[in-house]
């Protein structure tokens, strides 16, 4: 099995209008099609995906530390709207135009917030954390998760303090312990394990408050108008993924006009890395269909 997680080609920070810094990492050609990555829970900007196919596909991948994680200045009490405005400033400063956006795992609602705010030309949700606090999932959640969702709803501040007790090692143990064997095989690849550990360690470098705020936002009701998203959206789940969405995105797909849902067999939550070329090629196809622009020809990969 080959999973590409090369070191970033470029690292930096961008100063926002209020003086805070956002940390970012980039891979691929500077003149490539911009793809903005909203990373998963408690991982820093340095964990990219598909880094071996970015050059042939002509993709400039940009990953960003959310406030309080990695190199980004904390912003206590921040919201999804605040995050989208931060991305608006970053996109302008980095001259990304109107990028495609990818949201992985807990990064999914943040990517959706960007799309709702008009900051995405196309969107891919990959192994996305679903809106587990929605009443539609009231009877579908495992008891332990239902208990946490209820605690967030009852006292978000107390829940945020609870999540602030997590560490990089605890996150690794939770991810590996809750994943199917197909995912564990990916996570235990020496290069991937080293890159994942680095991303977790960097994400918690300023403490755990950034992760805690992300988690409270993700596990609360989402104040997002998903029905107003007017760009192409692809929703990707591995058939073996039992941790990100109670129904592998079936209900989520109905809430976004024209969304395409892909279920990939024999794959779990590591889909972003195992099927990186497929996700990126589909994004490029969506962009090409919307702009009639000429895009690099993707390799012959399976399509969902």
């Amino acid at each position: 099995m080959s999973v590409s997680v090369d070191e970033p080609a470029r690292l930096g920070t961008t100063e926002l209008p209020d003086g805070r810094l956002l940390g970012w990492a980039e891979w691929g050609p500077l003149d490539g099609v911009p793809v903005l990555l909203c990373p998963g829970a408690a991982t820093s900007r340095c964990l990219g995906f598909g880094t071996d196919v970015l050059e042939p596909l002509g993709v400039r991948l940009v990953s960003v530390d959310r406030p309080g994680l990695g190199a980004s200045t904390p912003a206590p009490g921040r919201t999804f709207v605040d995050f989208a405005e931060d991305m608006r400033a970053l996109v302008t400063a980095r001259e990304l135009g109107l990028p495609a956006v990818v949201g992985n795992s807990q990064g999914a609602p943040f990517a959706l917030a960007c799309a709702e705010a008009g900051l995405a030309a196309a969107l891919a949700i990959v192994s996305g954390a679903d809106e587990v606090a929605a009443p539609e999932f009231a009877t579908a959640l495992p008891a332990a998760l239902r208990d946490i969702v209820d605690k967030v709803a009852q006292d978000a501040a107390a829940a945020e303090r609870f999540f602030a007790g997590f560490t990089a090692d605890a996150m690794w143990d939770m991810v590996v312990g809750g994943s199917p064997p197909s995912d564990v095989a990916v996570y235990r690849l020496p290069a991937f394990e080293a890159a994942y550990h680095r991303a977790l360690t960097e994400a918690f470098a300023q403490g755990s408050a950034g992760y805690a705020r992300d988690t409270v936002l993700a596990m609360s009701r989402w104040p997002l108008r998903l029905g107003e998203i007017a760009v192409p959206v692809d929703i990707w789940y591995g058939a073996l993924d039992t941790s990100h969405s109670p129904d592998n995105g079936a209900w989520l797909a109905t809430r976004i006009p024209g969304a395409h849902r892909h279920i990939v067999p024999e794959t779990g939550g590591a889909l972003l890395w195992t099927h990186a070329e497929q996700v990126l090629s589909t994004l490029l196809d969506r962009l090409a269909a919307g702009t009639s622009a000429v895009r690099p020809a993707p390799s012959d990969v399976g399509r969902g």
Side-chain angles (χ1 to χ4, degrees):
M1 183 188 301
S2 177
V3 175
S4 179
V5 284
D6 295 327
E7 295 268 335
R10 298 171 292 278
L11 283 171
T13 58
T14 291
E15 184 172 351
L16 298 172
D18 64 1
R20 290 182 296 118
L21 298 178
L22 275 185
W24 50 264
E26 291 191 359
W27 299 258
L30 274 171
D31 61 352
V33 176
V35 174
L36 182 65
L37 171 64
C38 297
T43 53
S44 76
R45 58 185 171 166
C46 287
L47 186 62
F49 73 100
T51 54
D52 59 337
V53 300
L54 299 177
E55 287 283 348
L57 289 177
V59 169
R60 175 187 178 185
L61 180 66
V62 183
S63 181
V64 183
D65 287 333
R66 288 187 287 278
L69 280 73
S72 291
T73 307
R78 59 186 165 86
T79 66
F80 287 124
V81 171
D82 295 331
F83 176 77
E85 289 308 305
D86 286 350
M87 293 303 101
R88 194 183 305 278
L90 177 76
V91 164
T92 299
R94 297 296 299 155
E95 299 181 344
L96 300 180
L98 189 62
V101 177
V102 175
N104 175 237
S105 187
Q106 198 174 81
F110 295 94
L112 288 163
C114 289
E116 183 201 0
L119 296 174
L123 175 65
I125 298 299
V126 185
S127 306
D130 211 333
E131 189 180 0
V132 291
E136 286 80 1
F137 291 143
T139 61
L141 303 180
L145 178 56
R146 179 75 263 168
D147 183 57
I148 294 174
V149 169
D150 289 343
K151 287 179 179 178
V152 172
Q154 292 161 8
D155 191 339
E160 194 162 341
R161 290 191 295 272
F162 168 74
F163 294 131
F166 277 65
T167 65
D169 287 341
M171 287 299 301
W172 169 258
D173 291 342
M174 183 172 69
V175 169
V176 173
S179 297
S182 61
D183 286 350
V184 175
V186 175
Y187 300 149
R188 289 295 189 184
L189 291 170
F192 188 94
E193 185 169 351
Y196 202 107
H197 274 294
R198 174 188 173 186
L200 289 169
T201 299
E202 289 181 350
F204 281 100
Q206 302 182 70
S208 55
Y211 162 73
R213 186 60 184 164
D214 276 1
T215 305
V216 164
L217 289 173
M219 298 189 73
S220 301
R221 291 305 312 270
W222 297 350
L224 302 173
R225 300 181 299 274
L226 302 185
E228 296 183 13
I229 293 176
V231 298
V233 177
D234 287 273
I235 297 174
W236 300 82
Y237 285 94
L240 304 181
D241 185 355
T242 60
S243 61
H244 289 105
S245 170
D247 62 0
N248 276 1
W251 179 59
L252 178 61
T254 69
R255 302 169 68 193
I256 304 171
H260 300 262
R261 177 171 170 255
H262 310 257
I263 303 299
V264 181
E266 300 180 6
T267 302
L271 177 64
L272 182 70
W273 297 282
T274 60
H275 289 70
E277 186 171 9
Q278 188 173 351
V279 170
L280 289 168
S281 296
T282 301
L283 262 182
L284 293 177
D285 288 347
R286 302 297 184 219
L287 292 171
T291 63
S292 299
V294 176
R295 302 291 174 184
S299 299
D300 184 17
V301 297
R303 297 290 177 90

